Amino acid sequence: IVAHKRIGKNVGVTDEQNAALENWQSATCFNEVQRAALAFTDEIIRLKRPTDATFDAIRSKSTPAALIELQLSVGFYIMTSKFLETFEIDMQPVTEVVG
């Protein structure tokens, strides 16, 4: 998680947003698009696919290309984490991943 938060910070995620991620639903530091993306991501992980309402919310706030990129990013992360878990691969120290 430390590496993810550090990478996020390098692409514009604020310290407040990083701290609020686990309880993003009640946080006030995310804008409408970010909240829609977080809901979309959470539902893919919890439900295997977003509900129609959640999909419609992110679709109305995104371009088709951005929506595809978001879905692929979530899917690639799930695939990578399952691969690492299956083969019991430990993450590298953060200093080796992000300098």
Side-chain angles (χ1 to χ4, degrees):
I1 291 177
V2 172
H4 296 112
K5 288 184 176 186
R6 191 163 174 194
I7 292 166
K9 189 172 182 173
N10 288 337
V11 296
V13 177
T14 67
D15 290 338
E16 181 182 16
Q17 289 170 328
N18 265 331
L21 274 175
E22 289 186 40
N23 297 303
W24 67 266
Q25 296 91 338
S26 61
T28 58
C29 56
F30 298 103
N31 66 33
E32 194 175 325
V33 175
Q34 292 165 332
R35 296 180 73 73
L38 288 164
F40 179 83
T41 301
D42 274 1
E43 288 186 7
I44 289 171
I45 292 167
R46 285 186 301 106
L47 308 174
K48 308 297 183 219
R49 66 178 301 276
T51 61
D52 290 342
T54 298
F55 184 80
D56 290 344
I58 190 65
R59 184 175 56 189
S60 72
K61 296 166 182 54
S62 304
T63 64
L67 186 56
I68 289 168
E69 184 175 347
L70 176 59
Q71 170 60 63
L72 286 172
S73 295
V74 172
F76 283 133
Y77 183 81
I78 291 168
M79 177 192 67
T80 300
S81 67
K82 294 300 178 188
F83 177 86
L84 294 172
E85 289 171 8
T86 298
F87 294 102
E88 299 178 347
I89 298 171
D90 288 329
M91 294 295 294
Q92 295 172 305
V94 172
T95 55
E96 292 180 25
V97 178
V98 180

